[in-house]
Amino acid sequence: MTATPTSARSELSELGRSETALRTFLHGLPGVDQVGAEQRAAQLGTRSIKTTAKAQAIDLAIRMVDLTTLEGADTPGKVRALAAKALRPDPA
């Protein structure tokens, strides 16, 4: 039986409502072994990815970088620099 997009969304929605349902679902998934992961990585390494998709992925990765500071002695200048970096991660 194939799931329709609507039924798949419904199933995922149900998983999100109950920690028990999510744990049951996750424990039912097959494990990932090193050989399988390496084979999948090798396959992905041979695929051609469009330039626009690469740019979007790089942009997403940059935006996901943690820019928190844990020094505790931050100056207003450091905070401004950190905010500027967050707004424009790669000025070039």
Side-chain angles (χ1 to χ4, degrees):
M1 174 185 212
T2 37
T4 64
T6 303
S7 68
R9 270 194 299 270
S10 175
E11 289 174 26
L12 288 174
S13 176
E14 288 300 316
L15 289 175
R17 291 187 191 145
S18 162
E19 184 176 339
T20 304
L22 180 58
R23 285 184 184 278
T24 302
F25 172 77
L26 291 175
H27 286 298
L29 293 175
V32 177
D33 62 10
Q34 178 134 5
V35 173
E38 289 173 357
Q39 287 175 344
R40 182 67 176 139
Q43 288 174 342
L44 291 173
T46 62
R47 293 180 56 192
S48 173
I49 302 173
K50 293 181 180 178
T51 303
T52 54
K54 284 181 190 177
Q56 290 172 346
I58 290 169
D59 184 54
L60 176 62
I62 289 170
R63 286 186 282 127
M64 293 175 75
V65 171
D66 183 6
L67 293 172
T68 56
T69 175
L70 302 174
E71 289 181 27
D74 292 323
T75 64
K78 283 185 179 180
V79 172
R80 278 193 296 278
L82 192 62
K85 188 175 181 182
L87 291 170
R88 192 170 174 97
D90 181 15

